[in-house]
Amino acid sequence: MTVVCMALVGPSAPSGALLGASLPVGAVKDVVPNRVATWNICNPCDAGNADRAAEIAAYAPQVIGMQEACVRDVEAIREHLRNLHGLVYHVEYGSVLRKWGRCGGAPWSPGAFGQAILSAAPMTDAVNVEYPDGGSEDRGYMAVTTTVDGERVRVFNTHLAQRRQESVRAAQVRVLAAAAARHERAVFIGDFNAVPDAPELTPLQQLAVEADTRCRPAAGGCEPTTDWQLRFDYVFLRGITPLGHRVHPSPYSDHHLVYADLDTA
């Protein structure tokens, strides 16, 4: 049993960090080195950044991609993670618009809004791509190269067009899949705004598999990740083996935090 637990969380995981178990908030001093997470943190939502940081610290991922993220909120989350939980993360941004109504700031200098990636290891080769058609709101993907489970991995973080915009999402996925095809090992995380068997996801599913085997097309039993009981948030893997996968409902967003533990060897 000890060997199984070590395989699930990685050899450098904090003591007691079994898969599916929260780490005691305030006691975390290290990340789980093979854990990748995704979370739409919800904007606008009535949630404090200290609460968001505590939610992330409870599972201490090596890498987490956030969507609907304002730069000033992410900076505050990083500060809380460092000061309250002893977790130090690097950051890269994939902002796609500047909007006072979303992120505050002065009307003539609104805050930036979009995606962000926090990584315990340094990130290189960052790119930020806006989709040619964002749908009802600008959307895009970002990508970085960083270390997961001791290996260099390309990580993509995206937020696709809102529901009832299937044709727009299909075009966005084709752009993402074209970028994915250039990498033998990669992780794709984000809010895809589509259920697992949605046709628009097919180009990506032909290149990568979902970390949760129950969430692959025709598998059934896919756990919802939203307050409206739909699965929209995924961890897709290309050339990487999943060891475990969890969905954690959060009171601080209308999306749940999702993470996967990986074997990148």
Side-chain angles (χ1 to χ4, degrees):
M1 179 61 72
T2 300
V3 172
V4 171
C5 291
M6 287 180 67
L8 286 173
V9 302
S12 301
S15 176
L18 300 182
L19 185 65
S22 297
L23 301 174
V25 175
V28 177
K29 296 301 179 185
D30 201 0
V31 297
V32 182
N34 65 335
R35 181 167 293 172
V36 173
T38 183
W39 192 20
N40 182 322
I41 62 175
C42 185
N43 181 290
C45 272
D46 185 18
N49 289 319
D51 292 326
R52 289 167 168 158
E55 196 83 339
I56 294 169
Y59 306 105
Q62 172 81 3
V63 175
I64 181 168
M66 291 179 280
Q67 305 85 44
E68 297 195 17
C70 294
V71 169
R72 58 170 48 89
D73 286 333
V74 175
E75 286 301 315
I77 290 168
R78 286 182 70 215
E79 288 294 315
H80 292 310
L81 283 166
R82 182 177 62 210
N83 297 333
L84 301 179
H85 306 281
L87 291 169
V88 178
Y89 285 99
H90 303 267
V91 64
E92 291 287 350
Y93 293 100
S95 301
V96 293
L97 61 92
R98 301 186 69 86
K99 193 169 185 179
W100 178 82
R102 283 282 200 178
C103 296
W108 56 89
S109 182
F113 174 81
Q115 287 75 250
I117 292 177
L118 299 184
S119 173
M123 292 174 277
T124 61
D125 304 316
V127 298
N128 183 29
V129 177
E130 283 196 46
Y131 293 122
D133 182 0
S136 56
E137 183 177 75
D138 292 352
R139 295 291 163 91
Y141 77 82
M142 62 179 300
V144 301
T145 299
T146 190
T147 302
V148 178
D149 192 31
E151 300 290 339
R152 300 294 284 171
V153 173
R154 193 67 172 165
V155 178
F156 292 79
N157 179 22
T158 192
H159 190 189
L160 301 187
Q162 294 172 341
R163 289 180 289 175
R164 303 182 186 90
Q165 299 181 80
E166 291 86 354
S167 62
V168 176
R169 286 197 300 276
Q172 293 171 346
V173 171
R174 287 194 294 270
V175 172
L176 183 62
R182 297 194 289 268
H183 300 275
E184 293 184 0
R185 294 194 311 170
V187 177
F188 306 87
I189 52 181
D191 175 3
F192 289 77
N193 270 315
V195 295
D197 59 355
E200 60 263 34
L201 294 183
T202 300
L204 184 59
Q205 290 167 335
Q206 290 173 338
L207 294 169
V209 297
E210 227 286 331
D212 185 353
T213 58
R214 301 167 301 170
C215 212
R216 297 170 187 175
C222 191
E223 192 174 353
T225 61
T226 66
D227 286 353
W228 45 97
Q229 297 302 304
L230 294 172
R231 180 61 173 248
F232 282 173
D233 306 88
Y234 302 92
V235 179
F236 288 105
L237 306 174
R238 178 170 167 83
I240 296 171
T241 303
L243 296 177
H245 181 280
R246 292 292 183 270
V247 174
H248 296 279
S250 171
Y252 308 118
S253 175
D254 53 4
H255 286 251
H256 308 334
L257 188 149
V258 179
Y259 75 72
D261 291 346
L262 313 178
D263 180 359
T264 62

